[in-house]
C-alpha cells in the first residue's frame, strides 16, 4: 500500500548507497545539480560531493551500524504485516459500527477507513524496536466516542495486542498498545466525508473544513511528515543524515519534546532545512553543516521550510504578529503544513542553554572528524551528566501496580517542564538541566540513612558555581536536612528523574526550593485527580541530593562509567584546544616572518608600498579567527567556532588575499557588541564574488511585511570620488564593484549580522589590487 512504500524505497536506497562512489556517485551528482530551489531562501552552496565526501559518508554509515539504527528486510516486513492487519481491523470495525447504526450492509461495505503512518517510520528513519506512529481515519458517521469504546475493546480482544490503554483526555487523544512486539501509538481523525478511499491524500487543505480541533491536531502529524519529504532535494541523503542527528541527540540527552528539548519532527525539520541549504551535499557533509548552521542561528528567528500557506480556515497558526504568546517562544521551528505550529513551544531557558551547548560541542567534534583527527564514534559518545553537576533534584514516582505505574509516569513526565520553570524563576539558579532518561530504582541499592531536603546551602570559595567535577575541591556544600527518609522508596514500582542544578556565582548562597517543589507536586496530584487517574499508592516526591549521595539511587557501576565518560570528554576537549593553540602559533609565526620579509625587501620604496607588494605576493587566504565574547554563552560557542580556512582559487600570477580578524558575537538572540574589520584586495579584472549574490543562513523574514524584533535592513554604502550611493542588497554592491576601475577607492559595508560578515568572505575569490574594502559589523 502507498503508506508503507517508503520503507521499500529506503531499503533499496540503503543498498544502492552502500556501493559507494563510481558511476553511481557520478550519476547521483549529475542529478543533484539539476535540483530546484527548496525552502525560504536560495541554497548556500550548490557544490557537488568530492570523493572524500563519499568516503566520509560510508564511514558514517558503518559507525551507525553498532547502534542498531538499521532494520533488516525481515523486520521491515514484520512491521508491514502488522500495519496490514491493523488496517483490515479498522475497515471491519467501521463496517460493523455503521451496520449497528442501521446503515445497509452494502453501503457500509463501501465506507472504507484507513491507517496512515507518520513520524520516524513514515520518514524511513526508525531504528530497531522503535514504535510506530499511526493515524486511524474514519468517515463522518463514526464518532470519536466509538473509537475509544468499541474499537478500544476490539483491540484488547486481539491475541497480538498487549498493554493496550486509552488516553482520551490528552491534547492529542491516543490509544497506545503493543501489537505483536511493536509499540504503536494510534491517533484518530473523523473526516467530513462519506467514504475514505484507499488512495486518499491527506495533504489537501480543504479536508480540514468543518473538522473539530482534535481531528485537525491528529491529522497534523501525517500532513507535516509528507510535507517534509516533499521539501528535501535528496531523500536518501536526508534519511542518513537524520538518523545520525537523532542518534546524536538521544546520546546527548536532548531528545524529548515533553521535557522541553526537541522531538523527532523537530530534528527532521532542522535536517531538512540543512538539506535545502546544501542540496547536493552527501550525508556526512550535511551532518557537519547541520552543526555549522544551527550553532550560529539567530534565535528566536524562526526556522521555516517553506513560505506559510495562505489558507484561512480559522484555525490558530503560529504568527507573532497576531498572537502575543508566540513572541515569547525561544527557539521557534515551524511545521510546514497548515495550520502551522511551533514544534518547540515547550523549550525553556534551561533547555535552550543545554541544546545550544550541545550544538557547539557537535560543531567542534565534527570539525575534528572532517579534518581526520577523530572518528564518527566520537560524535555519538554520551557525555557525563552526573559528574557535570554537584547538586540535583530527584523526582521519585511511586505506584503499586505495573499498569498504574505506566500511566502515572506518563503524566509526571508531561509535567516535569513545569518544575523546570519553577526552578528557573529562582534568582539564584542559572540552569536546571533535566536528564530525559527515566531511571528505575532497584531495591537494596540504597543507604537506609538517606537524608533529603529542599533547602540548599552552598558556600562558594572564589569559583563559578557551575558544579563541574574539576572544581569539587574549591566548593563546600551544606544541606539543611528537614527530615530523615528510612529508604529511597518502599513502593513496588519506583521511577526517577534527575535535574542537575547550576547556581549563580554568589558567596554563602542559601536557596530554599520548598515552595517551587510543593507547587509542582500539588499541581501534578490535582491534575491526576481531575482526570480520574490518581489511585491508591500513587505518589510523587522531590528531593535534593548531592553528587556524593547518588550512589543511594543509582548503580555503582553506572556511576563509574559516568566518571570515565567525563574523563574522556575532558581529554578530547584538551586535545582540541591543544591543536588550535598549535595551529594559531604556527600561523602567527608564518605571518610574522612574511611581514618582516615583505617590509625588509621594500625598505627603499616606503613602508606602505612594501606592505602592499607583500599582500600582492600572498598565494593563500589567511585564516579568520573568532574572538570570545564577554558573555558565557558566546565563550562556549567560541570553543567550537575556530579558524576557518578560505582557499584561494586564482593562479600564481593573480593571488588572493584576505587580512585582518573578526570579532563575532555568536550568542543567539543577544545584541552583538563590537565590530568586524576586514580588508579585501581586488583586481580590476577579478570579481569580488564568485556567486551571483549574497547568501543568508537564516530566513529573510516571516511574512511579507514583518521583521522580527524590528531588525533593520542591510545597507551597503558605496563611496566613490566623494559620492555615496545606498544599496539595498549585496547583489547591487557586487555590480558596483565589478564596474569600478581599481584605484584607491574604499567601500564601506554596514552589516547587521555576523553571518553577513562571514559570508562576504566565504563567497569571494578576492584577488590582489590596490582597492581596499572595509566591512564593519554594526549593531
Amino acid at each position: 500500500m502507498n503508506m508503507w512504500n517508503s520503507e521499500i524505497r529506503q531499503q533499496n536506497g540503503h543498498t544502492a548507497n552502500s556501493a559507494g562512489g563510481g558511476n553511481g556517485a557520478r550519476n547521483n551528482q549529475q542529478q543533484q545539480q539539476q535540483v530546484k530551489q527548496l525552502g525560504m531562501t536560495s541554497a548556500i552552496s550548490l557544490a557537488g560531493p568530492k570523493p572524500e565526501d563519499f568516503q566520509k559518508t560510508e564511514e558514517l554509515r558503518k559507525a551507525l551500524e553498532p547502534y542498531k539504527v538499521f532494520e533488516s528486510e525481515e523486520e521491515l516486513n514484520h512491521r508491514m504485516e502488522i500495519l496490514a492487519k491493523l488496517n483490515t481491523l479498522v475497515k471491519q470495525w467501521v463496517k460493523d459500527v455503521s451496520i449497528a447504526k442501521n446503515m445497509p450492509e452494502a453501503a457500509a461495505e463501501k465506507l472504507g477507513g484507513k491507517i496512515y503512518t507518520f513520524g520516524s517510520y513514515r520518514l524511513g528513519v526508525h531504528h530497531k524496536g522503535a514504535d510506530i506512529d499511526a493515524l486511524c481515519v474514519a468517515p463522518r458517521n463514526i464518532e470519536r466516542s466509538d473509537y475509544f469504546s468499541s474499537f478500544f475493546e476490539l483491540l484488547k480482544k486481539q491475541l497480538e495486542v498487549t498493554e493496550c490503554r486509552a488516553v482520551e483526555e490528552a491534547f492529542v487523544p491516543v490509544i497506545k498498545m503493543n501489537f505483536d512486539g511493536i509499540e504503536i501509538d494510534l491517533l484518530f481523525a473523523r473526516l467530513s466525508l462519506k467514504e475514505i478511499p484507499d488512495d486518499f491524500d491527506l495533504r489537501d487543505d480543504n479536508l480540514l473544513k468543518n473538522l473539530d480541533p482534535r481531528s485537525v491536531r491528529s491529522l497534523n502529524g501525517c500532513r507535516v511528515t509528507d510535507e517534509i519529504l516533499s521539501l528535501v532535494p535528496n531523500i536518501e541523503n536526508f534519511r542518513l543524515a537524520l538518523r545520525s542527528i537523532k542518534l546524536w541527540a538521544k546520546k546527548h540527552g536532548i531528545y524529548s519534546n515533553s521535557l522541553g528539548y526537541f522531538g523527532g519532527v523537530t530534528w527532521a525539520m532542522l535536517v531538512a532545512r540543512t538539506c535545502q541549504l546544501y542540496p547536493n551535499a552527501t550525508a556526512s557533509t550535511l551532518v557537519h553543516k547541520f552543526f555549522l548552521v544551527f550553532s550560529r542561528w539567530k534565535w528566536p528567528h524562526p526556522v521555516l521550510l517553506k513560505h506559510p500557506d495562505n489558507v484561512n480556515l480559522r484555525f490558530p497558526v503560529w504568527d507573532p504578529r497576531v498572537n502575543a504568546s508566540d513572541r515569547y517562544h525561544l527557539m521557534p521551528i515551524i511545521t510546514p503544513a497548515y495550520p502551522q505550529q511551533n514544534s518547540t513551544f515547550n523549550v525553556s531557558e534551561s533547555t535552550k542553554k543545554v541544546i545550544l551547548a550541545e550544538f557547539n560541542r557537535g560543531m567542534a567534534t565534527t570539525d575534528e572528524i572532517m579534518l581526520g583527527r577523530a572518528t564518527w564514534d566520537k560524535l555519538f559518545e554520551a557525555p557525563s551528566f552526573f559528574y557535570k553537576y554537584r547538586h540535583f533534584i530527584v523526582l521519585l514516582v511511586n505506584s503499586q501496580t505495573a499498569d498504574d505505574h505506566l500511566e502515572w509516569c506518563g503524566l509526571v513526565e508531561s509535567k516535569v517542564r513545569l518544575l523546570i520553570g519553577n526552578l528557573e524563576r529562582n534568582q539564584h539558579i542559572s540552569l536546571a538541566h533535566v536528564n530525559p532518561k527515566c531511571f528505575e530504582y532497584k531495591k537494596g541499592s540504597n543507604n537506609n540513612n538517606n537524608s533529603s531536603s529542599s533547602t540548599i546551602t552552598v558556600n562558594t570559595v572564589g569559583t563559578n558555581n557551575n558544579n563541574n567535577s574539576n572544581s569539587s575541591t574549591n566548593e563546600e556544600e551544606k544541606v539543611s536536612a528537614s527530615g530523615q527518609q528510612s529508604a529511597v522508596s518502599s513502593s513496588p514500582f519506583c521511577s526517577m528523574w534527575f535535574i542537575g542544578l547550576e547556581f549563580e556565582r554568589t558567596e554563602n548562597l542559601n536557596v530554599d526550593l520548598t515552595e517551587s517543589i510543593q507547587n509542582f507536586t500539588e499541581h501534578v496530584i490535582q491534575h491526576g485527580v481531575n482526570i480520574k487517574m490518581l489511585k491508591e499508592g500513587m505518589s510523587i516526591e522531590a528531593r535534593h541530593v548531592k553528587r556524593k549521595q547518588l550512589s543511594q539511587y543509582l548503580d555503582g557501576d553506572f556511576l563509574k562509567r559516568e566518571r570515565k565518560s567525563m574523563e574522556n570528554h575532558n581529554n578530547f576537549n584538551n586535545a582540541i584546544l591543544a591543536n588550535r593553540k598549535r595551529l594559531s602559533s604556527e600561523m602567527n609565526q608564518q605571518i610574522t616572518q612574511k611581514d618582516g620579509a615583505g617590509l625588509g625587501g621594500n625598505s627603499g620604496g616606503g613602508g606602505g608600498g612594501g606592505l602592499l607588494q607583500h599582500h600582492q605576493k600572498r598565494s593563500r587566504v589567511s585564516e579568520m579567527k573568532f574572538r570570545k565574547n564577554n558573555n558565557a554563552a558566546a565563550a562556549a560557542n567560541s570553543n567550537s567556532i575556530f579558524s576557518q580556512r578560505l582557499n584561494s582559487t586564482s593562479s600564481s600570477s593573480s593571488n588572493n588575499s584576505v587580512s585582518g580578524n573578526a570579532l563575532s558575537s555568536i550568542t543567539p538572540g543577544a545584541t552583538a557588541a563590537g565590530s568586524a574589520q576586514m580588508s579585501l584586495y581586488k583586481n580590476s579584472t577579478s570579481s569580488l564574488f564568485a556567486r551571483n549574490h549574497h547568501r543568508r543562513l537564516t530566513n529573510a523574514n516571516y511574512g511579507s511585511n514583518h521583521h522580527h524584533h524590528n531588525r533593520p535592513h542591510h545597507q551597503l554604502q558605496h563611496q566613490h570620488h566623494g559620492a555615496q550611493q545606498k544599496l539595498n542588497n549585496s547583489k547591487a554592491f557586487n555590480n558596483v564593484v565589478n564596474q569600478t576601475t581599481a584605484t584607491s577607492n574604499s567601500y564601506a559595508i554596514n552589516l547587521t549580522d555576523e553571518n553577513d560578515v562571514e559570508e562576504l568572505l566565504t563567497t569571494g575569490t578576492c584577488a590582489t589590487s590596490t582597492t581596499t574594502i572595509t566591512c564593519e559589523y554594526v549593531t
Side-chain angles (χ1 to χ4, degrees), residues 554-567:
L554 299 171
D555 180 68
D557 292 335
F558 170 78
L559 292 175
K560 290 180 181 179
R561 292 193 298 269
E562 281 281 298
R563 188 180 188 89
K564 182 66 175 178
S565 176
M566 174 60 77
E567 293 173 355

Side-chain angles (χ1 to χ4, degrees), residues 306-327:
K306 56 181 282 192
H307 289 279
D309 295 326
N310 189 17
V311 181
N312 186 16
L313 297 179
R314 299 190 177 183
F315 289 109
V317 298
W318 185 87
D319 189 346
R321 298 168 299 181
V322 178
N323 307 318
S325 60
D326 292 344
R327 301 168 194 167

Side-chain angles (χ1 to χ4, degrees), residues 92-107:
Q92 185 61 44
W93 167 69
V94 170
K95 176 183 175 181
D96 294 342
V97 172
S98 300
I99 293 175
K101 294 182 178 181
N102 299 323
M103 180 179 288
E105 183 175 351

